[in-house]
Amino acid sequence: AQSVTQLGSHVSVSEGALVLLRCNYSSSVPPYLFWYVQYPNQGLQLLLKYTSAATLVKGINGFEAEFKKSETSFHLTKPSAHMSDAAEYFCAVIRRDDKIIFGKGTRLHILP
Amino acid sequence: EAGVTQFPSHSVIEKGQTVTLRCDPISGHDNLYWYRRVMGKEIKFLLHFVKESKQDESGMPNNRFLAERTGGTYSTLKVQPAELEDSGVYFCASSQDAVRRETQYFGPGTRLLVL
């Protein structure tokens, strides 16, 4: 069975500081992994996607994630947090039957 | 190009009433999915349409939920009768039927509150 685990339901960082949101996956097959973001009162927006090509994936709004097979991780990072990054972030894996399995979400708070 | 749209954005109903949620996928997307996030829980898969056919409805919680996709365009998800535990956010997503594990694009969700 495939699954993802997000560490930390809430993460707070200062504006301008590094953002690091952690995600670990479990998969018996090469995974396709996603990060989605949900801004307040909006839907889920795709940030980036890993499909077994380059291990470092660049997404929108300055975010990137690195796939590390040895650590079964797919952590999301951004060098410098902006107030507009405050949102809930979801790590997810898509199964071969096209079902997406989501993590519980991490709410990112940006401190001024 | 318009994204996935959902209607209504919010719905507040009483237990025992009926509610119908609508989803319009991205034009040309044959695959349409419904997901749900109950308060405090993960977003979970409900069902998957390929055109007008139900490909997988293994995530539907019970027979109070009925999904349709007549003509292979928009889809409706009806809850009848609604129960308190049905409260949550219902997301719709769509993808092109090109390759497996294609990116799914999500709508804004419908926030359902059953009182």
Side-chain angles (χ1 to χ4, degrees):
Chain A
Q2 293 178 297
S3 65
V4 291
T5 302
Q6 291 183 243
L7 300 177
S9 57
H10 292 267
V11 170
S12 295
V13 301
S14 298
E15 190 174 18
L18 171 72
V19 176
L20 171 61
L21 303 183
R22 300 177 186 273
C23 173
N24 288 89
Y25 70 90
S26 172
S27 178
S28 56
V29 298
Y32 280 22
L33 295 161
F34 300 81
W35 276 97
Y36 283 91
V37 59
Q38 185 177 20
Y39 296 104
N41 300 314
Q42 296 187 28
L44 291 169
Q45 182 178 359
L46 180 68
L47 265 182
L48 49 82
K49 175 181 180 181
Y50 169 76
T51 60
S52 74
T55 56
L56 182 63
V57 183
K58 294 189 183 298
I60 62 172
N61 300 337
F63 284 92
E64 62 182 34
E66 186 172 9
F67 174 76
K68 291 187 177 180
K69 185 177 179 180
S70 61
E71 299 177 7
T72 61
S73 69
F74 190 57
H75 301 332
L76 181 70
T77 60
K78 181 175 180 177
S80 177
H82 192 272
M83 296 300 290
S84 61
D85 295 326
E88 191 164 17
Y89 293 78
F90 297 91
C91 182
V93 62
I94 188 167
R95 296 173 15 163
R96 290 193 171 188
D97 60 2
D98 290 336
K99 291 178 186 172
I100 294 179
I101 308 298
F102 286 91
K104 291 188 175 183
T106 297
R107 195 169 292 278
L108 177 64
H109 304 273
I110 309 299
L111 307 173
Chain B
E1 180 181 310
V4 176
T5 58
Q6 293 186 245
F7 181 84
S9 59
H10 296 77
S11 181
V12 181
I13 61 172
E14 293 187 351
K15 175 183 172 181
Q17 290 186 321
T18 297
V19 63
T20 300
L21 314 181
R22 172 171 170 146
C23 168
D24 287 80
I26 293 171
S27 178
H29 282 196
D30 288 336
N31 293 278
L32 187 149
Y33 309 82
W34 284 97
Y35 292 82
R36 177 176 76 166
R37 188 183 194 191
V38 174
M39 181 80 72
K41 302 281 190 178
E42 300 95 324
I43 302 167
K44 291 200 170 174
F45 168 86
L46 295 179
L47 88 159
H48 172 199
F49 282 100
V50 178
K51 296 184 180 178
E52 66 275 9
S53 299
K54 290 177 185 174
Q55 179 77 14
D56 182 347
E57 54 182 331
S58 61
M60 295 288 262
N62 50 60
N63 59 10
R64 294 185 294 103
F65 289 75
L66 176 64
E68 294 181 323
R69 193 182 182 195
T70 307
T73 54
Y74 71 90
S75 173
T76 58
L77 179 63
K78 180 189 288 188
V79 185
Q80 179 181 31
E83 298 289 345
L84 300 180
E85 63 264 26
D86 301 332
S87 297
V89 183
Y90 290 77
F91 292 102
C92 176
S94 71
S95 70
Q96 288 183 306
D97 191 19
V99 295
R100 299 296 273 179
R101 300 198 280 177
E102 181 77 4
T103 298
Q104 295 177 23
Y105 297 93
F106 283 78
T110 293
R111 286 149 183 80
L112 174 64
L113 178 60
V114 182
L115 301 175

